[in-house]
Amino acid sequence: MLGKEKAGPVSNRAFGVDTAKLQNRYQQLQRLVHPDFFSQRSQTEKDFSEKHATLVNDAYKTLLAPLSRGLYLLKLHGVEIPEGTDYAMDQQFLMEIMEINEKLAEAQSEAAMKEIESIVRAKQKELSDNVSKAFEQDDFEKAKEILTKMKYFSNVEEKIKLKKIPL
């Protein structure tokens, strides 16, 4: 078996995902393992169903979102981003995040919120494209750096969602 790589548990480790195919496959798998279809079965089969339905749900959620998908791919390659670290973020990037957070805190109108949301969405798209390229080139350190930035923008996205919720 010279020249052949051992097949791992994941056959396609590319960052890019066809979300329509992902959703279709998710629905197919759910139809196979959903607990509702096992209500009249043995306890062993019910347990099997519950366990595998949870795995299918978790896999779908992980692969659907670019940030969680990227973090998962890094983990498959033995690279992790420790929680609570800024992973040597450059000062310019941190200033950019601070400015966006300040604008968000000061935003009083829906138009101001939409503008911030648009900026963050564009940044996430750019970072997502860049992390895809990093994975294509097997540059896991670059992917790690980009995913760390995506985490910051993801936090801003959460703050935007929270600010939109009326009290």
Side-chain angles (χ1 to χ4, degrees):
M1 287 221 180
L2 278 176
K4 297 217 177 195
E5 291 184 20
K6 181 181 168 194
V10 177
S11 60
N12 181 0
R13 292 187 177 185
F15 178 79
V17 169
D18 181 332
T19 54
K21 282 184 182 177
L22 177 64
Q23 185 170 12
N24 188 25
R25 185 68 177 133
Y26 166 71
Q27 290 169 341
Q28 289 173 345
L29 290 171
Q30 273 297 11
R31 283 191 289 272
L32 292 174
V33 296
H34 197 278
D36 289 351
F37 301 121
F38 288 78
S39 62
Q40 302 300 315
R41 302 285 181 97
S42 71
Q43 189 58 46
T44 302
E45 290 172 306
K46 287 179 186 177
D47 291 346
F48 172 89
S49 165
E50 198 170 299
K51 177 183 176 190
H52 286 82
T54 300
L55 288 172
V56 168
N57 285 334
D58 290 348
Y60 177 69
K61 288 176 193 168
T62 298
L63 295 175
L64 189 61
L67 177 58
S68 58
R69 181 171 62 243
L71 293 172
Y72 178 70
L73 280 173
L74 273 185
K75 194 173 185 177
L76 288 177
H77 291 283
V79 180
E80 291 193 50
I81 301 172
E83 284 297 317
T85 63
D86 290 340
Y87 183 65
M89 296 308 305
D90 64 88
Q91 291 300 311
Q92 184 179 347
F93 175 77
L94 293 174
M95 290 299 293
E96 179 183 12
I97 291 294
M98 275 181 35
E99 287 173 17
I100 291 171
N101 277 318
E102 286 171 9
K103 284 182 184 177
L104 182 59
E106 296 166 1
Q108 298 296 319
S109 68
E110 192 174 324
M113 290 288 291
K114 284 186 187 268
E115 180 185 341
I116 296 165
E117 197 171 20
S118 176
I119 289 167
V120 171
R121 195 177 301 119
K123 289 286 187 182
Q124 284 287 55
K125 169 79 172 95
E126 177 186 340
L127 290 169
S128 187
D129 291 346
N130 290 341
V131 81
S132 182
K133 290 175 189 158
F135 277 115
E136 285 171 15
Q137 298 166 356
D138 290 337
D139 188 345
F140 305 120
E141 280 305 309
K142 184 70 175 172
K144 182 177 175 179
E145 177 188 327
I146 295 166
L147 287 164
T148 302
K149 289 180 179 182
M150 288 176 74
K151 278 178 136 182
Y152 278 91
F153 280 109
S154 181
N155 289 337
V156 174
E157 287 173 326
E158 285 303 311
K159 290 176 187 176
I160 291 169
K161 286 179 191 172
L162 290 173
K163 191 157 181 167
K164 284 182 170 181
I165 299 171
L167 296 176

